[in-house]
Amino acid sequence: MKHIVILGDGMADLPSLELDNLTPLEKAHTPNMDRLTKLGQAGLFHTVPESLHPGSEVANMAVMGYDVENLYEGRGVLEAASIGVTLASDDLAFRCNLITLEDGIIHNHSAGHIGNEEAGVLIDFLNDHLADERVAFHKGVSYRHLMVIKGGDKHIHCTPPHDVPGADEVDHLPKTLKEAVASKETAALVTDLIKRSQELLASHPINLERKAKGKATAASIWPWSPGYKPQMPTLKEAYNIQKSAVISAVDLIHGIGIYAGMEVIKVDGATGLWDTNYVGKRDAAIKALETCDYVYLHIEAPDEAGHEGDAKIKIKAIEDIDEKVVGPILEFALEQKDIAIALLPDHPTPWELKTHTRDAVPFAIYHPHNPSDSVAHYAEKDAAQGAYGEVEKMEFMKLLLNQQ
C-alpha cells in the first residue's frame, strides 16, 4: 500500500454568526472532500497534547506519527534543517519573524507577507549590524527566518507573534522559565536584540518605501520557539516506511521532513498563501506516489487566511483544495486501487480568533481495503460521529498505515 496525507493547514474552525452558525468547512462547497469521507471513515484527532502549545510544528509532527511530548525541540531547529543550517549541540535556534509594529502594538506577524527579496536584504542588514560571535541570522522565506544564539538557554518563554495580534509588545517580550543565570541572560539578550532591531529597521530604505506605499513595514524581529537539535527517528526507523516525500511551501514542514528522512519536493509557484500553485503541488504529489510509499502534501493557505481574520478567503482556500487537490488525487487513488488517503488539518485556526487552538481536528481516511462508515460530509461535527472516534498521539498514523 501507498499512503498520502492531504493536510489543509488550519482548515478547522469554530461556528460563527457571520457564517450562519457554521464553520468555514461547513459553509464551503466541498464535494470531493465529502466523497472521500463517504468512501472512508472519519474521526477526531487531538494533535496537540496539553503540555505543548498548538503550533504547526507540534501538530504536523503529531500527524506524521511522532511522540511530540518527548521529541519536540521548538520550531527554530526545523527552520534550520530546512535551510541547510547545521546546528552544534549548544546552538539555540529560534524561528525569527519579521513583524509589523505600530506604536508598540503587534499589528501582524508577517510584515504584510513581505516578499523574499526585500526580506533577504533586511536579514543581511541585521547580520551586518546585530550579529556577532554568538548571534547569527539566516534567511528563510518571506517573513520566516532563523536566529541562532551559541550557548543560549532554551528555558525562556517567547510568545508566537501570530498568537497575539493587536497586543502590546511589552506584555510579550521574552520571559525566563527558570530562575537561573543562563536563562535570565538569554531572555535579556533576545529582548535587547528585538529593541535594537526596531531602531535599525525604522530608517531602512525598504521600510521607508513600504510605508510611503501604504504597505506594512518590517518594523522588528520577533524570535520565538527556541530549541536545540532534536533526536528524531526517521519514518523508516519508526514505521518501516521505505521511501517518503514531503511537499510544502513552508520551511518548518521541510525541516520536519528532513529530520524524518523524507525527500523534500519544492514546487514552483508554491507561495504558502491562497494564491499558491495548487495544481503544481497536486501533480507533484501524484508523481511522487509513483516511487514513494508515503507522501505528505501540506497546504498552508487556510491557516494564513485564518490568521488574517478573513472568512471568505479561508472558504475559498478550502474550496480550491477540494477542487484542485482532493478531487484529482482521489480519482487517481481509485484508479490505482493501492493508495490510502488521509485528509485533515493540523490544528484549527479560527478566523475570528486569528490564532491556533488546540481543539481536536476532523479527519477522514479512505483505505481501499477498509469498510466505510456512515459519515458523508467532511466537517467538524460530522467527523465526530465517525467510526474512528477520538484519537491521539501516534494512533492516527497507525490507523493510516493499518498498523493499529
Side-chain angles (χ1 to χ4, degrees), residues 132-146:
D132 55 26
E133 66 278 358
R134 285 195 68 196
V135 178
F137 298 90
H138 301 271
K139 287 180 279 191
V141 175
S142 182
Y143 61 90
R144 311 174 186 99
H145 305 281
L146 176 72

Side-chain angles (χ1 to χ4, degrees), residues 357-391:
T357 67
R358 64 174 66 252
D359 301 282
V361 298
F363 73 91
I365 297 176
Y366 160 72
H367 195 294
H369 304 309
N370 290 356
S372 61
D373 60 19
S374 61
V375 180
H377 179 50
Y378 179 71
E380 295 86 354
K381 291 178 184 176
D382 300 82
Q385 308 305 314
Y388 287 129
E390 297 189 25
V391 304

Side-chain angles (χ1 to χ4, degrees), residues 57 61 74-82 232 251-252 255-256 259:
E57 71 282 20
M61 284 178 65
R75 195 155 179 160
V77 297
L78 304 174
E79 308 279 352
S82 175
M232 282 173 57
D251 278 346
L252 83 91
I256 296 173
Y259 282 117

Side-chain angles (χ1 to χ4, degrees), residues 30-110:
T30 55
N32 297 299
M33 294 185 187
D34 294 345
R35 185 184 180 202
L36 187 154
T37 303
K38 190 172 183 178
L39 289 170
Q41 298 182 39
L44 294 176
F45 181 12
H46 295 271
T47 58
V48 181
E50 289 295 329
S51 60
L52 294 172
H53 74 287
S56 289
E57 71 282 20
V58 172
N60 279 275
M61 284 178 65
V63 175
M64 286 191 195
Y66 284 102
D67 180 1
V68 287
E69 288 187 287
N70 290 313
L71 294 174
Y72 176 66
E73 271 289 345
R75 195 155 179 160
V77 297
L78 304 174
E79 308 279 352
S82 175
I83 61 179
V85 175
T86 301
L87 299 174
S89 59
D90 65 340
D91 283 342
L92 184 64
F94 296 75
R95 162 71 172 272
C96 186
N97 282 39
L98 292 172
I99 69 168
T100 300
L101 287 174
E102 294 181 358
D103 299 321
I105 303 300
I106 298 172
H107 183 67
N108 70 56
H109 67 289
S110 65

